Amino acid sequence: MQTAADAGDAATLLAAVPAGRRVALVDPRFVGHVHALRLGLTDPRFAAATVPGALTAQPEARGALLRALRRTTAAVGAGAPVVAPDTDPAPEDRTVPGRIAVALEAEGTAVKRPELGSLTATVPTDAGARATAESARDEVDDEAVRLRSAVKAHDGFFTTFAISPYSRYIARWCARRGLTPNQVTTASLITALVAAGAAATGTRGGYITAGILLLVSFVLDCTDGQLARYSLQYSTMGAWLDATFDRAKEYAYYAGLAIGAVRGGDDVWVLALGAMVLQACRHVVDFSFNEANHDAVANTSPTAALSDKLDSVGWTVWARRMIVLPIGERWAMIAVLTALTTPRIVFYALLVGCALAACYTTAGRLLRSLTRRASRTDRAAQALADLADSGPLAQGVAAVAPGLRGAFTAPAVALLGTLVMIGGALFLPYGSWLTVAAAAVYVVLSGLAVARPLKGALDWLVPPFFRAAEYVTILVLAARSDAPHAVPAAFGLVSAVAYHHYDTVYRIRGGTGAPPQWLVRTIGGHEGRTALVAVLAAVLTHAAGFTTALTALAVAVALVVLVESIRFWVSSSAPAVHDEGELA
């Protein structure tokens, strides 16, 4: 830390700092909480940020900072004091850091101004103002505010009342011992994997141990995000780990339960895969709807207005959050039922609960879409196209086919293709080439569905329809096969593909766009993989080779998508964010 005598000296000192470092300017007369400075100066997610009396810039904003500082120096004079004339429009802009923040924004550099709430951050200009500011600072417990802000503002009932009251203190304990959110996230994954192993024993003691460890894993899962917010340790690796490990833990636990059930004489692999498919389809409904509407213009949906009114009534907020069976409630249910009942009952409860939640959330989104008078943006249409995951076959059809017109044409065509594909897998003789013909029809209809930009009111349904077609087709064909262990192999394949789809979602959320087209082409797109599985079922009828083929396909997809995903998330191009998680 160095002290500058005036604005001109500050410019000289900043220019001497190595280009790869973050820099900060703080008015020496600053009065406020340490956590206010921490929020303003240490959050890695923003190129530039400011609180009254302080400003920071990451390396990418250093050039703009120096230009703004030099302009400020020229305007007020190199030897001017740090406080500007009282004629400035806002008190926070009367200091050199405040002036520079305004100049940065005028140049086009975004400057984050974090919400401070009850925290104090000010630059008093006289003794009376300083005494007032110090009194306001001393009246607020800085650490208590920091602990409260470590907890997500909106979370499920179980997480809010059964986990967060004490997990925040675990987060503080971790921070004081130098532990990172990534380490806690990894510990959560390891604990869940051990829980899955305990469930795989198929014994009552194993099930009880698994239930307890699953809850411990969830506590750590809450702690990692709270630690990130408490210590402002946001990172690209953290975003990747937190965004994917929840699904990895849940699906690994499903597999553990299925293995344990088989050891006890009850094969529930179909139920396990069904639960995974249903949960993944629920998520893509949420993701697709949000991406289609987050930047929509003129949101005037009466359904949304009704939802806002219901949120003003306290008890309805928690009831509605519990109805969707968010991750906290879901994991608590799984843990308790694992300890007390059987894997079959666990999966029955999951399927019923998730199906009801899916009906509730999807119905609400349909009503909002049908009653919303809004224009979808090009960015939203591109996000839906990326979420559709169309491969070379569908893209080829879309390139030569005229776009079908009509407000609801795209989802109708996608739904028709989905029904043809799933219906063929379900009702045609297993191994029949008619199923392959149904897959060919699905490929054509998939291409027609995405031949025009997805800007219709219900076009957000297209990606969920495609996910359902692919996942359910794999499930049905594996379940109808006489090949031993075909369903566990299908479980692995759906897991690998689902990882790719979740990875796509979080890249779009980070503002970096979908995975590269070469990746989508390499793994075939949803229609290519679906058609390939149909062909494999026809060629390898009643043969163990079908299991081998599904396993090989799962391994190939997993290797390609994992290598590219890891490359992206650990690279400098990945967004420095920490995933806040999904209620569902």
Side-chain angles (χ1 to χ4, degrees), residues 426-576:
L426 272 172
F427 301 115
L428 291 173
Y430 176 79
S432 169
W433 284 95
L434 291 176
T435 305
V436 178
V441 173
Y442 174 67
V443 168
V444 173
L445 292 175
S446 298
L448 294 176
V450 296
R452 291 175 62 84
L454 298 175
K455 292 188 176 183
L458 297 179
D459 284 359
W460 57 271
L461 286 169
V462 171
F465 285 149
F466 290 163
R467 294 297 81 73
E470 180 179 5
Y471 296 168
V472 175
T473 296
I474 295 173
L475 166 61
V476 170
L477 292 179
R480 296 186 66 192
S481 169
D482 290 336
H485 310 302
V487 178
F491 189 97
L493 176 57
V494 173
S495 298
V497 175
Y499 176 86
H500 164 61
H501 290 143
Y502 282 111
D503 186 52
T504 300
V505 167
Y506 288 107
R507 292 200 199 199
I508 294 173
R509 282 184 166 186
T512 57
Q517 273 298 301
W518 70 260
L519 175 66
V520 177
R521 290 193 297 269
T522 300
I523 60 176
H526 70 92
E527 80 291 348
R529 292 186 298 270
T530 305
L532 177 58
V533 172
V535 170
L536 292 174
V539 172
L540 303 173
T541 306
H542 306 303
F546 185 55
T547 299
T548 302
L550 288 179
T551 302
L553 182 58
V555 171
V557 172
L559 283 176
V560 174
V561 299
L562 278 173
V563 169
E564 163 56 21
S565 177
I566 293 172
R567 181 209 64 78
F568 170 79
W569 286 104
V570 302
S571 70
S572 59
S573 61

Side-chain angles (χ1 to χ4, degrees), residues 23 25 30 36 56 100 171 181 192 294 359 412 461 551 562 582:
V23 295
L25 287 172
F30 174 87
T56 186
I100 296 172
H294 89 282
C359 290
L461 286 169
T551 302
L562 278 173
E582 295 296 317

